[in-house]
Coordinates of all heavy atoms in Angstrom, one line a residue:
L1 N 9.9 10.1 -24.6 CA 9.0 10.8 -23.7 C 9.2 10.4 -22.3 O 9.2 11.3 -21.3 CB 7.6 10.7 -24.1 CG 7.3 11.3 -25.5 CD1 5.9 11.0 -25.9 CD2 7.6 12.9 -25.5
V2 N 9.3 9.1 -22.0 CA 9.5 8.7 -20.7 C 10.8 9.2 -20.0 O 11.0 9.6 -18.9 CB 9.4 7.1 -20.5 CG1 10.0 6.6 -19.3 CG2 8.1 6.6 -20.8
R3 N 11.9 9.1 -20.9 CA 13.2 9.7 -20.5 C 13.1 11.2 -20.1 O 13.7 11.7 -19.0 CB 14.3 9.7 -21.6 CG 14.8 8.2 -21.7 CD 15.8 8.1 -23.0 NE 16.3 6.9 -23.2 CZ 17.5 6.3 -22.6 NH1 18.2 7.1 -21.8 NH2 17.9 5.1 -22.9
Q4 N 12.4 12.0 -20.9 CA 12.1 13.3 -20.5 C 11.5 13.5 -19.3 O 11.8 14.5 -18.4 CB 11.3 14.0 -21.6 CG 12.1 14.1 -23.0 CD 11.2 14.6 -24.1 OE1 10.0 14.9 -24.0 NE2 11.9 14.8 -25.3
D5 N 10.4 12.7 -19.0 CA 9.7 12.8 -17.7 C 10.6 12.5 -16.5 O 10.7 13.2 -15.5 CB 8.6 11.8 -17.6 CG 7.3 12.1 -18.5 OD1 7.4 13.4 -18.9 OD2 6.5 11.4 -18.7
A6 N 11.4 11.5 -16.7 CA 12.4 11.1 -15.6 C 13.4 12.2 -15.4 O 13.7 12.6 -14.3 CB 13.1 9.9 -16.1
Q7 N 13.9 12.8 -16.5 CA 15.0 13.9 -16.3 C 14.4 15.2 -15.7 O 15.1 15.9 -15.0 CB 15.5 14.2 -17.7 CG 16.5 13.0 -18.2 CD 16.8 13.2 -19.7 OE1 16.2 14.1 -20.4 NE2 17.7 12.4 -20.0
R8 N 13.1 15.4 -15.7 CA 12.4 16.5 -15.1 C 12.3 16.2 -13.5 O 12.3 17.2 -12.8 CB 11.1 16.8 -15.7 CG 11.1 17.6 -17.1 CD 9.7 18.2 -17.4 NE 8.9 17.0 -17.8 CZ 8.7 16.6 -19.0 NH1 9.4 17.1 -20.0 NH2 7.9 15.6 -19.3
E9 N 12.1 14.9 -13.2 CA 11.8 14.6 -11.8 C 13.0 14.2 -11.0 O 13.0 14.4 -9.8 CB 10.7 13.6 -11.7 CG 9.3 14.1 -12.3 CD 8.3 13.1 -11.9 OE1 8.2 12.6 -10.8 OE2 7.3 12.9 -12.7
L10 N 14.0 13.6 -11.7 CA 15.2 13.1 -10.9 C 16.3 14.1 -11.0 O 16.5 14.9 -12.0 CB 15.5 11.7 -11.4 CG 14.4 10.7 -11.1 CD1 14.8 9.4 -11.9 CD2 14.2 10.4 -9.6
R11 N 17.3 13.9 -10.2 CA 18.5 14.7 -10.2 C 19.3 14.5 -11.5 O 19.5 13.3 -11.9 CB 19.3 14.4 -9.0 CG 18.7 14.6 -7.7 CD 19.1 15.9 -6.9 NE 20.3 15.7 -6.5 CZ 20.7 15.2 -5.1 NH1 19.6 14.9 -4.4 NH2 21.9 15.3 -4.8
P12 N 19.6 15.7 -12.1 CA 20.4 15.4 -13.5 C 21.7 14.7 -13.3 O 22.1 14.0 -14.2 CB 20.6 16.9 -13.8 CG 20.5 17.8 -12.7 CD 19.5 17.0 -11.7
E13 N 22.4 14.8 -12.0 CA 23.6 14.1 -11.8 C 23.4 12.6 -12.0 O 24.4 11.8 -12.4 CB 24.2 14.4 -10.5 CG 24.3 15.8 -10.0 CD 23.1 16.2 -9.3 OE1 22.0 16.4 -9.9 OE2 23.1 16.3 -8.1
L14 N 22.2 12.0 -11.7 CA 22.1 10.6 -11.8 C 22.2 10.1 -13.2 O 22.9 9.0 -13.4 CB 20.7 10.2 -11.3 CG 20.2 8.8 -11.4 CD1 21.1 7.9 -10.4 CD2 18.7 8.6 -10.9
F15 N 21.8 10.8 -14.2 CA 21.7 10.4 -15.6 C 23.2 10.3 -16.1 O 23.4 9.6 -17.1 CB 20.9 11.3 -16.4 CG 19.4 11.1 -16.0 CD1 18.9 11.9 -15.1 CD2 18.6 10.1 -16.6 CE1 17.5 11.8 -14.7 CE2 17.3 10.0 -16.2 CZ 16.7 10.8 -15.3
A16 N 24.1 11.0 -15.5 CA 25.5 10.9 -16.1 C 26.2 9.7 -15.5 O 27.2 9.4 -15.9 CB 26.3 12.2 -15.6
R17 N 25.6 9.1 -14.5 CA 26.3 7.9 -13.8 C 25.6 6.7 -14.2 O 26.2 5.5 -13.7 CB 26.2 8.1 -12.3 CG 27.0 9.4 -11.8 CD 26.6 9.8 -10.5 NE 27.6 10.7 -9.8 CZ 27.6 12.1 -10.1 NH1 26.6 12.5 -10.9 NH2 28.3 12.8 -9.5
V18 N 24.5 6.5 -14.9 CA 23.8 5.2 -15.1 C 23.5 5.1 -16.5 O 23.6 5.9 -17.4 CB 22.4 5.2 -14.3 CG1 22.8 5.3 -12.8 CG2 21.5 6.2 -14.8
T19 N 23.2 3.8 -16.9 CA 22.6 3.4 -18.2 C 21.1 3.4 -18.0 O 20.6 2.6 -17.2 CB 23.2 2.1 -18.7 OG1 24.6 2.1 -18.8 CG2 22.5 1.6 -20.0
T20 N 20.4 4.3 -18.7 CA 19.0 4.4 -18.5 C 18.4 3.4 -19.5 O 18.6 3.4 -20.7 CB 18.5 5.7 -18.8 OG1 19.2 6.6 -18.0 CG2 17.0 5.9 -18.5
V21 N 17.4 2.6 -19.0 CA 16.7 1.5 -19.7 C 15.3 1.7 -19.5 O 14.7 1.7 -18.4 CB 17.1 0.1 -19.3 CG1 16.5 -1.0 -20.2 CG2 18.7 0.0 -19.3
V22 N 14.5 1.9 -20.6 CA 13.1 2.1 -20.6 C 12.4 0.9 -21.0 O 12.7 0.3 -22.0 CB 12.6 3.2 -21.5 CG1 11.1 3.3 -21.5 CG2 13.2 4.6 -21.1
F23 N 11.5 0.3 -20.1 CA 10.8 -1.0 -20.3 C 9.5 -0.7 -21.0 O 8.8 0.2 -20.6 CB 10.6 -1.8 -18.9 CG 11.7 -2.4 -18.5 CD1 12.9 -1.6 -18.1 CD2 11.9 -3.8 -18.3 CE1 14.0 -2.2 -17.5 CE2 13.0 -4.3 -17.8 CZ 14.2 -3.6 -17.4
S24 N 9.1 -1.6 -21.9 CA 7.8 -1.4 -22.6 C 6.7 -1.9 -21.7 O 6.6 -2.7 -20.9 CB 7.7 -2.3 -23.9 OG 8.9 -1.9 -24.7
R25 N 5.4 -1.2 -22.0 CA 4.2 -1.7 -21.4 C 3.9 -3.1 -22.0 O 4.2 -3.4 -23.0 CB 3.0 -0.7 -21.8 CG 1.7 -1.1 -21.3 CD 0.7 -0.1 -21.8 NE 0.6 -0.1 -23.3 CZ -0.2 -1.0 -23.9 NH1 -1.0 -1.8 -23.3 NH2 -0.4 -0.9 -25.2
L26 N 3.4 -3.9 -21.1 CA 3.0 -5.3 -21.7 C 1.5 -5.3 -22.1 O 0.6 -5.2 -21.4 CB 3.1 -6.3 -20.5 CG 4.5 -6.4 -19.7 CD1 4.5 -7.5 -18.6 CD2 5.6 -6.7 -20.8
D27 N 1.4 -5.6 -23.4 CA 0.1 -5.6 -24.1 C -0.4 -7.0 -23.8 O 0.2 -7.9 -23.2 CB 0.1 -5.3 -25.5 CG 0.9 -6.2 -26.3 OD1 1.1 -7.3 -26.0 OD2 1.3 -5.7 -27.4
Y28 N -1.7 -7.2 -24.3 CA -2.5 -8.5 -24.0 C -1.6 -9.7 -24.6 O -1.4 -10.8 -23.9 CB -3.8 -8.5 -24.6 CG -4.6 -9.8 -24.4 CD1 -5.2 -10.0 -23.1 CD2 -4.7 -10.7 -25.4 CE1 -5.8 -11.2 -23.0 CE2 -5.3 -11.9 -25.2 CZ -6.0 -12.1 -24.1 OH -6.6 -13.3 -23.8
G29 N -1.1 -9.6 -25.8 CA -0.4 -10.6 -26.4 C 0.9 -11.0 -25.6 O 1.2 -12.3 -25.5
I30 N 1.5 -10.0 -25.2 CA 2.8 -10.2 -24.4 C 2.5 -10.9 -23.1 O 3.2 -11.8 -22.6 CB 3.6 -9.0 -24.2 CG1 4.1 -8.4 -25.6 CG2 4.8 -9.2 -23.3 CD1 5.1 -9.4 -26.3
Q31 N 1.4 -10.4 -22.4 CA 1.0 -11.0 -21.1 C 0.6 -12.6 -21.2 O 0.7 -13.3 -20.4 CB -0.1 -10.2 -20.5 CG 0.3 -8.9 -20.0 CD -0.6 -8.3 -18.9 OE1 -1.1 -9.1 -18.0 NE2 -0.8 -7.1 -18.9
C32 N 0.0 -12.8 -22.4 CA -0.2 -14.3 -22.7 C 1.1 -15.1 -22.6 O 1.1 -16.2 -22.2 CB -1.0 -14.5 -23.9 SG -2.7 -13.8 -23.8
Q33 N 2.1 -14.6 -23.4 CA 3.4 -15.2 -23.3 C 4.0 -15.2 -21.9 O 4.5 -16.3 -21.5 CB 4.3 -14.5 -24.2 CG 4.0 -14.5 -25.7 CD 4.9 -13.7 -26.6 OE1 6.1 -13.8 -26.4 NE2 4.4 -12.8 -27.5
V34 N 3.7 -14.2 -21.1 CA 4.3 -14.1 -19.7 C 3.5 -15.3 -18.8 O 4.3 -15.9 -18.2 CB 4.0 -12.8 -19.1 CG1 4.2 -12.8 -17.6 CG2 4.9 -11.7 -19.9
A35 N 2.2 -15.5 -19.2 CA 1.4 -16.4 -18.4 C 2.0 -17.8 -18.6 O 2.2 -18.6 -17.7 CB 0.0 -16.3 -18.8
E36 N 2.4 -18.1 -19.8 CA 3.0 -19.4 -20.1 C 4.3 -19.7 -19.3 O 4.5 -20.8 -18.8 CB 3.2 -19.6 -21.7 CG 3.5 -21.0 -22.0 CD 3.2 -21.3 -23.4 OE1 2.9 -20.4 -24.3 OE2 3.2 -22.5 -23.8
V37 N 5.1 -18.6 -19.3 CA 6.4 -18.8 -18.6 C 6.0 -19.0 -17.1 O 6.8 -19.8 -16.5 CB 7.2 -17.5 -18.9 CG1 8.4 -17.5 -17.9 CG2 7.7 -17.4 -20.4
L38 N 5.1 -18.2 -16.6 CA 4.9 -18.3 -15.1 C 4.3 -19.7 -14.8 O 4.6 -20.2 -13.6 CB 4.0 -17.1 -14.8 CG 4.5 -15.8 -14.9 CD1 3.4 -14.7 -14.7 CD2 5.7 -15.6 -13.8
V39 N 3.4 -20.1 -15.6 CA 2.8 -21.5 -15.4 C 3.8 -22.5 -15.3 O 3.9 -23.4 -14.4 CB 1.7 -21.8 -16.4 CG1 1.3 -23.2 -16.3 CG2 0.5 -20.9 -16.1
E40 N 4.7 -22.4 -16.3 CA 5.8 -23.6 -16.4 C 6.8 -23.4 -15.2 O 7.1 -24.4 -14.6 CB 6.6 -23.5 -17.7 CG 5.8 -23.9 -18.9 CD 5.2 -25.3 -18.8 OE1 6.0 -26.2 -18.3 OE2 4.1 -25.5 -19.0
K41 N 7.0 -22.1 -14.8 CA 7.9 -22.0 -13.7 C 7.2 -22.6 -12.4 O 7.9 -23.3 -11.6 CB 8.1 -20.5 -13.4 CG 8.9 -20.2 -12.2 CD 9.2 -18.7 -12.0 CE 10.0 -18.3 -10.9 NZ 10.1 -16.8 -10.7
E42 N 5.9 -22.4 -12.1 CA 5.2 -22.9 -11.1 C 5.1 -24.5 -11.1 O 5.4 -25.2 -10.0 CB 3.9 -22.3 -10.9 CG 3.0 -22.8 -9.6 CD 3.7 -22.4 -8.4 OE1 4.4 -21.5 -8.3 OE2 3.3 -23.1 -7.3
L43 N 4.9 -25.0 -12.2 CA 4.9 -26.5 -12.5 C 6.3 -27.0 -12.1 O 6.4 -28.1 -11.4 CB 4.4 -26.8 -13.8 CG 3.0 -26.5 -14.2 CD1 2.7 -27.0 -15.6 CD2 2.1 -27.2 -13.2
V44 N 7.4 -26.5 -12.5 CA 8.7 -27.0 -12.3 C 9.0 -26.9 -10.8 O 9.5 -28.0 -10.2 CB 9.7 -26.1 -13.0 CG1 11.2 -26.4 -12.5 CG2 9.7 -26.4 -14.6
Q45 N 8.5 -25.9 -10.1 CA 8.8 -25.8 -8.6 C 8.0 -26.9 -7.9 O 8.6 -27.5 -6.9 CB 8.3 -24.4 -8.1 CG 9.3 -23.3 -8.5 CD 8.8 -22.0 -8.1 OE1 7.7 -21.8 -7.6 NE2 9.7 -20.9 -8.2
Q46 N 6.8 -27.2 -8.4 CA 5.9 -28.2 -7.6 C 6.5 -29.6 -8.0 O 6.5 -30.5 -7.2 CB 4.5 -28.0 -8.0 CG 3.9 -26.7 -7.6 CD 4.0 -26.5 -6.1 OE1 4.2 -27.4 -5.3 NE2 3.9 -25.2 -5.7

């Protein structure tokens, strides 16, 4: 469905030239995993 939305709004020539990749919505559980990665990244930088 997202591909269909994009093909309606963007130039059709674009889709013949690229690999289209659809990213998922981040639900609560995934965002918790993201939080752990971000915290560790900040700790490493400090």
